Amino acid sequence: MSFFMAIYLNRRVIFGIMFRVFMVLLLFKIGLSNYVPASFVFGDSLLDVGNNNYIVSLAKANHDPYGIDFGMATGRFSNGRTVADVINQKLGLGFSPPYLAPTTTGSVVLKGVNYASGAGGILNNSGQIFGGRINFDAQIDNFANTREEIISLIGVPAALNLFKKALFTVALGSNDFLDNYLTPILSIPERVLVSPESFVATLVSRLRLQLTRLFNLGARKIVVVNVGPIGCIPYVRDFTPFAGDECVTLPNELAQLFNTQLKSLVAELRTKLEGSLFVYADVYHIMEDILQNYNDYGGLQFTLAKHICCRFSIWSLYIKTC
């Protein structure tokens, strides 16, 4: 298994559990009693269903051991379904197809599209160590293209009504820390010049513009997922040996700093943008509870959660395999 696979697989193992617990809360918050005709998904590797298959990138999941539940790798950074897949099935929509797939065209897009991309972030320079990735601005650009296609298929009034009732999920931010501000070695100059508070303020400011743009394109029911306890990810722990079996403090502090401002931003937009329903999804504390009380969730499933599957040195980042 390559280093990059190890990163994403461990992130999926931990956060995949978290998202599945959160799914039930999400469905009740939005309300299944209301008809949801489509699901549009924006995010990173946690929600990517194959977009990175179609770009030149080191962040790929189109090979073993990914996709074992499907019998083959699909481009999902997971053994099986993503949380968006599960939610869509509960809504009776089936899987939202990856935007870049050549078959994602015509009437298929009327039930929604997935724009998520492994290594993607809020900022356009996040994840650049992986090469190709689709960050949030570009994902919104892609939705704008889908929007025009839907309008051409069913007309403006019907399209706007579809967007009004559709579910929009936005789950980004982890890579802006892990693969930008906290990138081992490469991020040191930036952290000398930019304080954590300034970096988080930049993230929130950019996200405000992006979510507002999404609203202006017709989105109304928008679930915004916060950043989980990224300091507890196995590969982050391995990069910080002095942390031992404990979570690494700085990444978690940054996540909480961002989440506090994100929650305020969601409340601000819900008030400011008339007709919107912004929902703040707090997965940080759900995951924190699982980590601290794992025996309550079936302890044997978490016995290896503190360690990465491969050991490597910082100097062999791009070549170490196992």
Side-chain angles (χ1 to χ4, degrees):
M1 182 184 298
S2 71
F3 161 73
F4 299 103
M5 190 191 308
I7 289 178
Y8 282 95
L9 185 58
N10 277 279
R11 288 168 70 176
R12 169 59 65 186
V13 168
I14 293 179
F15 288 112
I17 297 166
M18 170 186 63
F19 270 116
R20 281 163 175 76
V21 173
F22 162 71
M23 180 192 71
V24 177
L25 303 178
L26 170 62
L27 292 177
F28 279 104
K29 186 75 174 181
I30 293 298
L32 285 178
S33 59
N34 298 322
Y35 172 60
V36 178
S39 172
F40 298 94
V41 180
F42 305 82
D44 51 29
S45 63
L46 294 174
L47 297 180
D48 189 350
V49 295
N51 282 304
N52 278 24
N53 290 349
Y54 301 95
I55 61 177
V56 178
S57 176
L58 291 171
K60 283 186 177 288
N62 58 350
H63 50 78
D64 291 339
Y66 297 114
I68 58 174
D69 290 356
F70 286 108
M72 60 179 290
T74 64
R76 291 167 172 82
F77 292 81
S78 169
N79 56 291
R81 297 174 296 171
T82 70
V83 67
D85 291 331
V86 177
I87 291 174
N88 287 352
Q89 287 183 315
K90 294 294 183 181
L91 294 173
L93 298 173
F95 296 161
S96 293
Y99 172 79
L100 291 181
T103 53
T104 305
T105 186
S107 61
V108 170
V109 303
L110 296 178
K111 289 190 175 182
V113 176
N114 185 304
Y115 306 93
S117 172
I122 295 168
L123 302 180
N124 289 324
N125 64 330
S126 294
Q128 61 186 355
I129 63 171
F130 293 97
R133 73 276 181 214
I134 310 168
N135 287 317
F136 195 22
D137 281 326
Q139 291 183 33
I140 298 174
D141 289 341
N142 291 339
F143 170 69
N145 293 334
T146 300
R147 180 181 185 274
E148 291 303 311
E149 183 173 4
I150 291 175
I151 288 174
S152 71
L153 288 170
I154 62 177
V156 173
L160 294 180
N161 187 54
L162 184 148
F163 300 141
K164 180 180 179 180
K165 296 180 179 179
L167 175 65
F168 289 76
T169 302
V170 177
L172 290 144
S174 295
N175 291 321
D176 294 287
F177 294 111
L178 297 176
D179 304 325
N180 186 336
Y181 194 70
L182 296 176
T183 304
I185 301 176
L186 301 178
S187 66
I188 293 175
E190 180 178 13
R191 276 187 278 162
V192 170
L193 298 173
V194 181
S195 69
E197 292 77 13
S198 295
F199 183 77
V200 167
T202 298
L203 275 183
V204 173
S205 177
R206 187 68 209 162
L207 188 57
R208 176 183 288 104
L209 295 175
Q210 292 165 331
L211 292 175
T212 300
R213 183 186 175 204
L214 200 57
F215 174 85
N216 289 335
L217 287 170
R220 292 298 180 266
K221 296 179 180 178
I222 305 174
V223 176
V224 184
V225 182
N226 71 4
V227 173
I230 52 178
C232 301
I233 296 174
Y235 97 92
V236 174
R237 288 173 167 175
D238 272 26
F239 261 119
T240 317
F242 60 80
D245 284 338
E246 300 302 318
C247 297
V248 184
T249 302
L250 178 59
N252 281 352
E253 288 179 345
L254 288 171
Q256 292 180 74
L257 179 63
F258 172 75
N259 291 343
T260 298
Q261 296 189 34
L262 178 64
K263 186 175 183 179
S264 297
L265 173 62
V266 169
E268 170 195 323
L269 294 177
R270 187 167 54 236
T271 301
K272 179 180 177 182
L273 301 178
E274 186 176 353
S276 69
L277 175 58
F278 280 90
V279 175
Y280 173 76
D282 184 7
V283 297
Y284 185 101
H285 289 101
I286 293 174
M287 186 57 202
E288 185 178 52
D289 182 62
I290 291 175
L291 290 172
Q292 293 176 356
N293 304 291
Y294 63 89
N295 284 320
D296 295 339
Y297 296 87
L300 291 178
Q301 300 176 38
F302 298 91
T303 54
L304 299 178
K306 293 182 178 180
H307 302 290
I308 196 168
C309 64
C310 302
R311 294 283 176 177
F312 50 86
S313 71
I314 293 176
W315 308 111
S316 61
L317 277 180
Y318 301 102
I319 59 174
K320 182 70 175 179
T321 60
C322 62

